[in-house]
Structures are given as structure tokens and as C-alpha cells.
Amino acid sequence: LQPAAHSAEGTKVKKVLYDVNADGKKQIEAALAKAQNENKNVILKFGANWCGWCHLLSDLFKGDPEVSKVLNDNYVLVLIDVDKGHNEDVVKKYGNPTQHGLPVLVVLDKSGKQMHTQDTALLEEGKRHSPAKVKAFLEKWKPKPSF
């Protein structure tokens, strides 16, 4: 990921979140291997670099200490670029979650089984995502402790 750049006028340019050349199937494969190794679930975050809500959710994932802790302790996050039909095969595999708009989250267990699709509009509050709603979502779908 690249840090936010600034133009000559000093205005902030949106940072690149999604790798527009990445193969979603390979990204998921690598994430599942890591998730199995670390006993975590996987969150697929479908979106595109032009999507303002995608940036807002990523900022919340990184910037809110409580949300960030639950996310990092329990999940491997994969950003799947879906701009201009990219990774269409992956979108179809998971039941066309982008029909809900962008971003949309799909939770997989460490074996790759699809557990939940989350329309992120339901996590919004005003002009941002609600930290409490996002944290509750992450808590609900985190791996169950194995004793």
C-alpha cells in the first residue's frame, strides 16, 4: 500500500487501497493459509480505489484502536479489487456480494467456508461507519475459541 500523496497544490490525493492487478483467488489462497496458521477467520473486503466508502471503512479499520485490535486479533483482511469487472469470478464464487454496493464484506472461516455477507450500509451512521456497529460485527463473526 502506498501512503497518501500530496499534489503540488498541497491537496490530498486518495491513497491506493486496492491492487488493481492482484488475482483475487491467489489473495484468498494466501489469506486462508495464514488464517489456518494463526487460527483466524478471513474477511474479504470487495471494493475499488474510487469508492469513498471503501476508504472510510479502511480508515476506521486502521484508525480506531478498538476496531483495529478486534480485526487484527481475529481476522486476515483481504482487499479484493472489483473495478471494471476485475475479479468477477471471485465475486460470483461468493454469491455476487457486490449487489449490495461497495464496500461489501464476506467472512470466511479458516477452511474457506463462507459464513456471512455484510452489506456495509447497515454499519453506517451519518457520513461514516459507526465504530460501535463495525466492532459488534467483527466480534460476532470472529473465530470461536477452541479449548
Side-chain angles (χ1 to χ4, degrees), residues 84-99:
K84 299 177 184 155
H86 188 219
N87 290 306
E88 194 173 335
D89 52 340
V90 176
V91 172
K92 284 181 182 166
K93 177 178 179 174
Y94 294 103
N96 193 27
T98 56
Q99 67 187 319

Side-chain angles (χ1 to χ4, degrees), residues 20-130:
V20 296
N21 299 309
D23 179 333
K25 289 188 297 289
K26 289 182 180 168
Q27 289 178 284
I28 294 166
E29 230 174 75
L32 286 170
K34 183 175 181 179
Q36 287 169 4
N37 204 30
E38 299 177 6
N39 197 31
K40 294 181 177 182
N41 285 342
V42 173
I43 291 184
L44 309 178
K45 181 174 170 250
F46 292 90
N49 289 316
W50 51 260
C51 166
W53 284 101
C54 297
H55 286 269
L56 288 171
L57 187 55
S58 283
D59 290 346
L60 179 65
F61 280 169
K62 290 182 188 125
D64 184 286
E66 289 183 30
V67 169
S68 185
K69 178 165 178 38
V70 177
L71 179 68
N72 293 328
D73 287 353
N74 298 286
Y75 298 94
V76 177
L77 178 64
V78 185
L79 275 58
I80 307 285
D81 175 64
V82 295
D83 191 28
K84 299 177 184 155
H86 188 219
N87 290 306
E88 194 173 335
D89 52 340
V90 176
V91 172
K92 284 181 182 166
K93 177 178 179 174
Y94 294 103
N96 193 27
T98 56
Q99 67 187 319
H100 298 290
L102 299 179
V104 63
L105 305 174
V106 173
V107 181
L108 309 177
D109 69 12
K110 65 183 178 184
S111 71
K113 178 181 171 233
Q114 187 170 347
M115 298 170 61
H116 182 69
T117 299
Q118 181 65 49
D119 175 351
T120 60
L122 301 174
L123 304 176
E124 293 172 12
E125 202 166 75
K127 295 182 184 219
R128 64 186 188 118
H129 295 95
S130 159

